[in-house]
């Protein structure tokens, strides 16, 4: 068997820079984004955020408006006015609905906004939507849908249906299932799955794969104590068997 060591674009962790001076909100955002598989960096000051962006660009910025150092709108305008960051996706966080007209005005150039207090679920949905608009090529070969037997995956909306019923999958489980449906019948070790789905620079334990496989089985198998789709290959790893979908 030839091992596919080419990292998939969707397997790389997307990096989000969170610019927010309130540490409890920053923590909340970090916790929820990391749980969904994003790599998160934090900074609590607008001027420091600009310095950080000059060194390295993330894939998306979550930007609070009321900041020490430099106000969020000014930072957003600077991001837009700088050539290398002009198309960097920016999601504004604001506590004041009266600011929204200015936020979405041409002068700031933000991609979208979310009003405090927000639910983690709404935040993640907004971030995904902004990223999809900014990187239509993100899903690469597997854009569109996968449909076989009782399983349907929509790679644009990140929805999964089993026998027509929607199933909630965390981003990581979704990416794992995407990898499996694109590479049926082949056996992958936990380390190979980490490389392909989590990204090569990841520092998670191979056992983490087992946790996500278990959750994925609960979501898509008819009986997760007797899996037919994601098969354990003893002392090696896992194999996806799409024939059990028919
Ligand atoms: Ca603030």
């Amino acid at each position: 068997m030839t091992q596919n060591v080419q990292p998939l674009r969707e397997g790389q962790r997307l990096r989000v820079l969170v610019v927010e001076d309130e540490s409890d909100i920053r923590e909340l955002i970090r916790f929820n984004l990391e749980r969904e598989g994003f790599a998160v960096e934090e900074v609590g000051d607008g001027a420091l955020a600009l310095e950080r962006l000059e060194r390295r660009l993330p894939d998306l910025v979550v930007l609070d408006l009321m900041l020490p150092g430099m106000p969020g709108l000014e930072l957003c305008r600077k991001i837009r006015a700088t050539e290398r960051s002009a198309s960097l996706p920016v999601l504004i966080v604001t506590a004041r609905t009266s600011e929204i007209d200015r936020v979405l005005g041409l002068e700031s150039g933000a991609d979208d906004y979310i009003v405090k207090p927000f639910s983690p679920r709404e935040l993640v949905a907004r971030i995904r939507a902004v990223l999809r608009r900014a990187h239509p090529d993100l899903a690469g070969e597997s854009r569109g849908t996968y449909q076989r037997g009782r399983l349907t995956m929509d790679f644009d909306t990140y929805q999964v249906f089993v026998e027509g019923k929607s199933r909630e999958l965390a981003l990581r489980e979704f990416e794992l299932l995407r990898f499996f449906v694109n590479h049926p019948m082949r056996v992958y070790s936990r380390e190979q799955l980490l490389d392909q789905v989590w990204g090569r620079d990841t520092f998670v334990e191979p056992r983490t794969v087992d946790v996500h496989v278990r959750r994925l089985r609960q979501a898509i198998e008819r009986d997760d104590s007797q899996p037919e789709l994601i098969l354990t290959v003893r002392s090696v790893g896992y194999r996806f068997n799409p024939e059990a979908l028919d």
Side-chain angles (χ1 to χ4, degrees):
M1 185 184 82
T2 50
Q3 182 190 337
N4 178 10
V5 292
Q6 191 73 31
L8 296 178
R9 181 67 181 90
E10 66 263 31
Q12 294 169 357
R13 293 221 295 171
L14 292 169
R15 290 185 307 111
V16 177
L17 177 66
V18 179
V19 188
E20 163 69 79
D21 57 317
E22 287 167 75
S23 58
D24 51 343
I25 296 180
R26 224 164 52 215
E27 274 300 299
L28 177 79
I29 294 175
R30 169 194 274 278
F31 175 79
N32 283 285
L33 293 187
E34 286 184 341
R35 199 176 55 177
E36 295 290 326
F38 293 98
V40 180
E41 291 175 47
E42 304 169 26
V43 55
D45 174 289
L48 291 178
L50 194 60
E51 281 176 29
R52 185 81 65 96
L53 290 168
E54 280 163 3
R55 286 204 302 275
R56 190 184 186 197
L57 286 184
D59 292 296
L60 179 138
V61 177
V62 175
L63 179 59
D64 183 37
L65 283 190
M66 301 282 282
L67 287 170
M70 183 185 296
L73 280 184
E74 189 183 337
L75 179 57
C76 194
R77 278 195 295 270
K78 283 188 190 296
I79 288 171
R80 285 289 168 269
T82 305
E83 194 182 348
R84 63 188 285 266
S85 61
S87 59
L88 176 65
V90 177
L91 177 71
I92 294 276
V93 178
T94 178
R96 298 186 300 185
T97 47
S98 59
E99 287 274 334
I100 289 166
D101 286 349
R102 284 181 63 209
V103 167
L104 291 182
L106 286 174
E107 56 164 348
S108 96
D111 293 275
D112 202 355
Y113 68 93
I114 189 165
V115 178
K116 294 178 188 174
F118 50 81
S119 73
R121 193 181 180 79
E122 186 186 2
L123 174 74
V124 170
R126 290 293 176 91
I127 285 176
R128 283 184 183 160
V130 169
L131 284 171
R132 273 198 301 274
R133 286 204 299 271
H135 304 283
D137 59 326
L138 211 64
E141 59 184 308
S142 56
R143 267 180 77 74
T145 57
Y146 172 88
Q147 206 284 316
R148 179 159 176 176
R150 58 201 154 89
L151 177 68
T152 302
M153 291 183 79
D154 186 323
F155 299 115
D156 297 315
T157 62
Y158 286 83
Q159 285 174 298
V160 173
F161 299 92
V162 178
E163 285 166 344
K165 289 200 186 99
S166 175
R167 294 294 157 98
E168 289 297 328
L169 288 189
L171 181 60
R172 188 64 70 195
E173 273 96 62
F174 187 93
E175 298 297 359
L176 186 59
L177 184 56
R178 185 210 299 266
F179 181 78
F180 278 135
V181 302
N182 283 327
H183 302 85
M185 301 311 278
R186 286 164 56 175
V187 181
Y188 290 92
S189 69
R190 289 164 183 80
E191 287 79 9
Q192 286 173 321
L193 291 171
L194 280 180
D195 277 355
Q196 296 287 339
V197 180
W198 275 254
R200 310 218 87 196
D201 56 350
T202 190
F203 299 101
V204 291
E205 295 270 312
R207 292 172 65 93
T208 305
V209 174
D210 301 340
V211 174
H212 289 275
V213 164
R214 192 156 63 236
R215 289 195 203 133
L216 194 49
R217 280 172 170 163
Q218 284 164 0
I220 67 166
E221 296 279 1
R222 269 196 268 251
D223 174 359
D224 62 290
S225 66
Q226 313 243 325
E228 325 162 278
L229 295 169
I230 302 169
L231 304 174
T232 301
V233 181
R234 196 161 300 205
S235 73
V236 182
Y238 295 103
R239 179 164 73 93
F240 179 67
N241 171 29
E243 286 171 12
L245 288 168
D246 303 332

